[in-house]
Amino acid sequence: MKADKFREECGVFGIFGHPEAANLTYLGLYALQHRGQESAGICSSDQKQLHLEKSIGLVADIFNEKRLKRLPGYMAIGHNRYSTAGGSNPKNVQPIVANYSLGQLAIAHNGNLVNAFELRKSLEEEGAIFQSTSDSEVFIHLVAHSKADDLKERIVSALARVNGSYSLLFLTEKKLIAVRDPYGVRPLSLGQVDGAYVVGSETCAFDLIGATYIRDIEPGEMLVIDANGLTSYKSVVTAPRKAFCIFEYIYFARPDSYIFGGHNVNAVRKLFGRQLATENPVDADLIIPVPDSGVPSAIGYSEQSGIPFEFGLIRNHYIGRTFIEPKQSIRHFGVKIKLNPVRELLEGKRVIVVDDSIVRGTTSKKIVKMIREQGGAREVHMKISSPPTVGPCFYGIDTPTRHELIASSHNVEEIRRYTTADTLAYLSMEGLFKNIPDPENFCSACFDNNYPIDFPGQESQLELLF
Ligand code: AMP
């Protein structure tokens, strides 16, 4: 199986009981754009049949009034998707819709199934024909192949066969069903607007449409929303532990969201920054973040240390996919297109630069050079608001293979030398766990190689990845 199968990041949104279901789903996806920028889609139901519009591209580019009008009905689900290597495959754009013996079924999935390959093989042997190469389609076939005579039971029997992470939305002609995997790897929240129920990956989607956050969908819980209202089935699948993704707090979720039990992401990131300052003090004139990912922790660092915070790097937020690189090579062009230093602030200064993580190390190296050479800084001290990233993620965060993760084969001093920073410090594991609510419920495999969800054929799959 190809390694890129594991590399998916997504956002999901659903609504039941609203006359503007498709429009609000569009806005929900718009607010969740950071979770996936490759493709997006919305499926609505007018109670008789499902309607689907989806494409490669950003939410605001894909949908216009005309397209949203083709999505009638009071209920809808939507999906944003991002996947790396392998390129954009239009067939993998979600929601995926299929006909089965009980009617029509659409699915939107955030997460990664670790036994998708085996399931797919056995389903194909039973005669299933897959439309896509996405692991999410496995759910559809498992539901279709189940012998149970109602959809809820079919989904339960499908879930019993899958292993991995899933925050999952199903839409039929008459029902919206939301499920979160028993480990609770990815977030999924429930809210309400104008009497309609909404579900979404993050609460920032609720804010945009004026919805009120009610609660998280619990790990292992299935919510069925239909004409009878909302019915909750707890523990339809179970797991030995919870495994909330720690990287949602560090990088992935938006700072204005409340996740994993209603905790604000910005507040947690600021605590990481404060902790980093306590663990790794250094004399400096200025603290600057790598925008946007380093901003809350840089503010926390500044508050704790008393060293002034400034925006010393300016980010261009309007980079299209089609920008043209100059033929003659400009040094560090890749980072330059996104970031530019404010020389006025940096010249002659001892600068602390804060980012959330180092993955391959190439960005940090370019940023340090930029701050020193273009910005004129006297010293550059790099502070990272997470521990060294040593392990790839198999549960839905886009990380490269292990050998590409610089911290998997280099110690902090070697990484410092590579980035050319004067000093480099990471947040400690203890410091990280001290500052997250309910730390025992988290997966931190990317920092400690302790993978909470085993998978069959793990060894051979890992070989392909490392
Ligand atoms: P690198 O050059 O590979 O070390 O990239 C580090 C940068 O990538 C940091 O600024 C992070 O904020 C950012 N980053 C970390 N994880 C991800 C991810 N899953 N997707 C995109 N960017 C990321």
Side-chain angles (χ1 to χ4, degrees):
M1 182 172 356
K2 283 198 6 227
D4 46 274
K5 195 199 143 301
F6 291 99
R7 304 191 197 178
E8 265 183 48
E9 293 175 347
C10 308
V12 295
F13 184 88
I15 183 161
F16 186 97
H18 201 287
E20 285 202 81
N23 287 355
L24 296 189
T25 303
Y26 162 76
L27 290 172
L29 293 181
Y30 185 79
L32 295 172
Q33 186 75 80
H34 61 288
R35 296 187 71 87
Q37 301 89 44
E38 188 181 277
S39 65
I42 300 176
C43 180
S44 74
S45 167
D46 60 10
Q47 308 231 41
K48 293 189 204 75
Q49 68 177 92
L50 301 188
H51 302 264
L52 177 67
E53 294 288 331
K54 58 180 184 176
S55 295
I56 301 285
L58 296 173
V59 177
D61 296 332
I62 295 170
F63 293 101
N64 51 29
E65 241 183 296
K66 212 167 117 197
R67 215 158 174 192
L68 287 168
K69 279 214 175 93
R70 294 204 291 259
L71 294 165
Y74 279 61
M75 56 189 116
I77 60 171
H79 188 268
N80 282 337
R81 180 172 194 273
Y82 167 72
S83 80
T84 53
S88 6
N89 183 349
K91 286 190 185 144
N92 290 340
V93 180
Q94 295 193 36
I96 299 171
V97 178
N99 294 309
Y100 74 121
S101 56
L102 300 180
Q104 284 187 296
L105 184 65
I107 184 181
H109 170 214
N110 173 208
N112 271 300
L113 299 186
V114 293
N115 64 338
F117 183 67
E118 291 71 18
L119 286 173
R120 192 180 170 113
K121 223 167 75 186
S122 83
L123 284 160
E124 280 175 341
E125 277 161 16
E126 289 166 38
I129 298 169
F130 279 75
Q131 320 168 15
S132 72
T133 57
S134 149
D135 59 346
S136 311
E137 196 185 342
V138 164
F139 286 109
I140 295 250
H141 290 279
L142 288 173
V143 169
H145 280 234
S146 162
K147 302 279 181 289
D149 47 26
D150 101 312
L151 177 62
K152 187 208 144 223
E153 287 311 316
R154 282 184 181 221
I155 294 175
V156 171
S157 76
L159 298 179
R161 293 182 66 185
V162 301
N163 219 342
S165 64
Y166 48 87
S167 282
L168 201 55
L169 303 181
F170 293 97
L171 188 73
T172 70
E173 296 88 337
K174 307 236 164 175
K175 285 180 203 294
L176 169 62
I177 297 177
V179 195
R180 188 160 166 224
D181 73 66
Y183 295 90
V185 180
R186 299 282 144 234
L188 189 63
S189 299
L190 172 69
Q192 216 163 14
V193 59
D194 306 331
Y197 285 109
V198 288
V199 282
S201 294
E202 287 180 43
T203 57
C204 62
F206 298 171
D207 295 339
L208 182 57
I209 60 168
T212 316
Y213 165 70
I214 301 175
R215 64 174 177 89
D216 286 1
I217 290 154
E218 284 178 24
E221 180 180 9
M222 177 192 286
L223 279 184
V224 178
I225 311 172
D226 59 16
N228 300 319
L230 184 141
T231 315
S232 158
Y233 301 92
K234 300 264 169 78
S235 305
V236 293
V237 264
T238 55
R241 55 161 290 183
K242 311 263 192 305
F244 304 158
C245 171
I246 206 154
F247 217 69
E248 293 273 353
Y249 273 137
I250 289 164
Y251 169 80
F252 200 38
R254 243 171 63 161
D256 47 339
S257 288
Y258 293 77
I259 58 169
F260 299 140
H263 301 284
N264 175 240
V265 174
N266 185 68
V268 173
R269 284 187 193 159
K270 272 177 78 171
L271 291 177
F272 294 160
R274 280 181 170 270
Q275 179 73 27
L276 194 55
T278 310
E279 290 179 4
N280 300 287
V282 65
D283 276 341
D285 306 308
L286 201 63
I287 289 165
I288 67 167
V290 175
D292 296 323
S293 51
V295 174
S297 41
I299 292 173
Y301 196 112
S302 169
E303 285 177 357
Q304 183 67 30
S305 63
I307 300 170
F309 170 98
E310 292 278 4
F311 278 104
L313 291 167
I314 301 302
R315 179 168 170 187
N316 185 337
H317 286 96
Y318 311 102
I319 303 161
R321 287 180 167 243
T322 49
F323 75 82
I324 298 158
E325 284 203 40
K327 288 247 161 47
Q328 276 192 329
S329 86
I330 294 179
R331 260 153 57 81
H332 319 308
F333 190 77
V335 166
K336 264 187 176 157
I337 196 87
K338 222 178 183 180
L339 297 173
N340 197 40
V342 184
R343 195 174 171 90
E344 184 72 17
L345 289 171
L346 304 176
E347 196 159 18
K349 300 278 175 53
R350 297 168 302 166
V351 176
I352 295 174
V353 56
V354 182
D355 203 356
D356 68 287
S357 58
I358 294 180
V359 182
R360 293 179 177 86
T362 48
T363 308
S364 305
K365 188 184 173 85
K366 287 173 182 170
I367 285 171
V368 170
K369 268 197 147 87
M370 178 182 270
I371 294 167
R372 213 193 291 280
E373 290 174 10
Q374 243 186 291
R378 180 152 56 94
E379 290 172 17
V380 184
H381 302 278
M382 189 94 204
K383 305 284 184 193
I384 304 299
S385 60
S386 66
T389 307
V390 292
C393 181
F394 302 120
Y395 315 131
I397 293 287
D398 167 36
T399 38
T401 57
R402 185 180 298 275
H403 76 268
E404 292 170 276
L405 294 169
I406 190 166
S408 74
S409 53
H410 295 78
N411 64 30
V412 176
E413 172 52 20
E414 288 165 341
I415 300 170
R416 183 202 67 75
R417 244 181 284 142
Y418 175 75
T419 62
T420 74
D422 292 286
T423 67
L424 167 67
Y426 287 89
L427 184 63
S428 69
M429 276 304 260
E430 302 72 47
L432 174 73
F433 276 103
K434 212 167 103 183
N435 288 287
I436 49 168
D438 314 317
E440 66 287 355
N441 288 341
F442 278 78
C443 168
S444 50
C446 49
F447 304 130
D448 60 12
N449 286 314
N450 178 13
Y451 290 92
I453 311 176
D454 284 339
F455 41 101
Q458 185 164 8
E459 287 316 311
S460 59
Q461 292 192 26
L462 294 186
E463 261 169 41
L464 286 168
L465 285 159
F466 296 164

